[in-house]
Amino acid sequence: MLNEKVAALLNTQVNKEFYSAYLYLHFANFYTEQGLSGFANWYQVQAQEERDHAMLMVQYLQNNDAKVTFEAIAKPDAALSENMDPLKAGLAHEQYVTSLIHTIYEAAYEAKDFRTMQFLDWFVKEQGEEETNAADLIKKMELFGTDAKGLYMLDQELAGRVYAAPSLTL
């Protein structure tokens, strides 16, 4: 049986992951309105990933006989006016999510909940990748985004991203 604090933190994280998906759909919508379908695609794929992260946590809670509670998902509040805005907000959000995962990991460690720590190892690694991808997008936008041709090529590159479901077994 899961430690009560760890289960509560995982339940909270489920909501945060669904919020992340919602936020990234907000970003995708912004880019669609800007005519940047490649950027929109990139964030639509991100939204799918975040949804799957939430579902992995739901399944983990269920597999450990912990009650799953769903809360309301907050409306994204990111103010978007420039093409760089979603990218910077995305990196800040991923850094925030990393801190949340670390908090759950710390609680699992304190509870000597090694199974949950092992489960969270995948998320710790994933968050490192998420932060790197977000930072790389910012660098690319800084390098190429102010030039129309460069922005077009970057948009085309991002249009090629496809969704790959996580390969985490529970």
Side-chain angles (χ1 to χ4, degrees):
M1 186 151 175
L2 284 179
N3 171 278
E4 192 173 308
K5 180 180 179 181
V6 171
L9 288 169
L10 284 168
N11 265 297
T12 299
Q13 191 62 32
V14 167
N15 182 267
K16 299 292 186 182
E17 297 293 336
F18 281 127
Y19 173 81
S20 296
Y22 201 40
L23 178 67
Y24 291 148
L25 289 174
H26 176 58
F27 293 172
N29 185 59
F30 171 80
Y31 284 123
T32 296
E33 291 171 354
Q34 304 307 307
L36 295 168
S37 59
F39 281 84
N41 174 68
W42 199 89
Y43 277 109
Q44 287 167 351
V45 170
Q46 278 300 110
Q48 289 175 298
E49 283 189 9
E50 302 304 339
R51 180 208 166 269
D52 277 356
H53 294 170
M55 294 306 297
L56 285 168
M57 290 183 183
V58 166
Q59 184 181 3
Y60 183 78
L61 287 163
Q62 291 169 339
N63 288 351
N64 286 279
D65 295 325
K67 182 175 175 60
V68 176
T69 55
F70 295 105
E71 301 293 334
I73 300 171
K75 179 181 177 182
D77 61 357
L80 309 175
S81 59
E82 303 292 327
N83 289 338
M84 184 66 87
D85 292 344
L87 303 179
K88 288 183 177 178
L91 175 58
H93 183 72
E94 289 300 341
Q95 291 167 335
Y96 169 66
V97 171
T98 297
S99 74
L100 296 172
I101 297 294
H102 289 174
T103 297
I104 303 168
Y105 200 101
E106 182 178 3
Y109 178 79
E110 289 172 4
K112 293 185 174 36
D113 182 351
F114 303 112
R115 183 175 18 178
T116 299
M117 289 168 56
Q118 184 178 25
F119 169 71
L120 290 172
D121 283 342
W122 183 87
F123 288 93
V124 170
K125 180 178 178 278
E126 176 71 7
Q127 282 309 121
E129 291 172 8
E130 297 286 7
E131 287 186 30
T132 298
N133 290 340
D136 287 349
L137 265 180
I138 290 171
K139 288 176 192 169
K140 287 180 179 182
M141 182 63 105
E142 288 171 344
L143 287 170
F144 309 115
T146 56
D147 171 69
K149 289 179 185 175
L151 182 59
Y152 174 81
M153 294 301 289
L154 183 54
D155 190 57
Q156 293 301 301
E157 176 186 328
L158 298 178
R161 184 177 187 207
V162 295
Y163 178 67
S167 59
L168 175 65
T169 55
L170 301 179

